[in-house]
Amino acid sequence: MIAAATGFATGFSLILAIGAQNAFVLRQGLLRKHVFALTLFCALSDAVLIAAGVLGFGALVTALPALPVVMGLAGAGFLIVYGVLRFKAAMSGQYEMELSGQSRSLRATLAIAAAFTWLNPHVYLDTLGLIGAISTSYDSWADRLWFGAGAVTSSFVFFFSLGYGARLLAPIMQKPSSWRALDVIIGVTMWLIAFGLSRGVMTGAIH
């Protein structure tokens, strides 16, 4: 059980930072649309990657050294485009849909979540790399599995808490200015992450 607690703490600390995926879940939680499907998708995606890391599939990056570069550039491109969309929304100030609680379709919502999840090299670094590496510090497979289970549990707790806890901010989000501020913050976040990804990819490519 100590391994499970360590896994939970490790996973929670890695996922706690405000990233593209978390910002999207927060925004969708404020809309109160497709929250269960979205949070479940994000948590299950993490579970798959964590399981792969614990089971040792992190060697995939070693086998395909170009993968981080391709994923990094694709992820950066997607984040830049999404950031532009958020800035355009902030400038237009047309938030009738948000104020009425309308949202994209479930398919479109999950497609965006998939891009945020699977095109983010940091996700692979945290799950396949870091969590996978830490799991090897346990000699027995039982402890490794408990560690992985703890990390998976932290993802479920975090995403469902973020998605459903966002509604606590609903009273603040009753004005277009609040949504405008949120979109600006999200847009800046997307561009900063995209810049970090691009710089990391280019630095890695040069070296």
Side-chain angles (χ1 to χ4, degrees), residues 43-59 118 123-124 126-129 131-133 135-136 141 144-153 155-156:
L44 287 177
S45 295
D46 262 15
V48 171
L49 291 167
I50 289 170
V54 171
L55 294 175
F57 291 163
W118 298 95
V123 171
Y124 297 94
D126 290 346
T127 54
L128 293 178
I131 290 181
S135 70
T136 61
W141 270 105
R144 291 186 187 182
L145 293 178
W146 275 114
F147 174 84
V152 168
T153 301
S155 290
F156 276 85

Side-chain angles (χ1 to χ4, degrees), residues 1 30 59 115 121 123 128 139 141-142 166 186 190:
M1 296 303 293
L30 287 168
V123 171
L128 293 178
D139 295 328
W141 270 105
I186 291 177
M190 298 301 149

Side-chain angles (χ1 to χ4, degrees), residues 172-183:
I172 304 176
M173 307 303 293
Q174 297 301 313
K175 297 183 296 184
S177 59
S178 298
W179 282 99
R180 181 181 289 110
L182 177 64
D183 274 340

Side-chain angles (χ1 to χ4, degrees), residues 50-173:
I50 289 170
V54 171
L55 294 175
F57 291 163
L60 178 64
V61 175
T62 303
L64 299 173
L67 184 61
V69 175
V70 174
M71 298 300 292
L73 292 177
F78 176 80
L79 292 174
I80 290 173
V81 172
Y82 190 78
V84 169
L85 294 177
R86 297 274 56 85
F87 285 130
K88 287 181 64 177
M91 287 188 294
S92 69
Q94 301 298 317
Y95 289 105
E96 288 80 5
M97 289 181 60
E98 285 79 0
L99 294 174
S100 63
Q102 298 181 47
S103 173
R104 300 177 181 86
S105 67
L106 175 60
R107 179 178 297 182
T109 298
L110 294 182
I112 294 174
F116 280 139
T117 302
W118 298 95
L119 290 180
N120 183 1
H122 290 166
V123 171
Y124 297 94
L125 177 63
D126 290 346
T127 54
L128 293 178
L130 188 55
I131 290 181
I134 295 176
S135 70
T136 61
S137 64
Y138 295 96
D139 295 328
S140 70
W141 270 105
D143 284 339
R144 291 186 187 182
L145 293 178
W146 275 114
F147 174 84
V152 168
T153 301
S154 72
S155 290
F156 276 85
V157 170
F158 177 83
F159 282 117
F160 276 86
S161 297
L162 179 63
Y164 285 100
R167 64 187 56 190
L168 297 176
L169 298 175
I172 304 176
M173 307 303 293

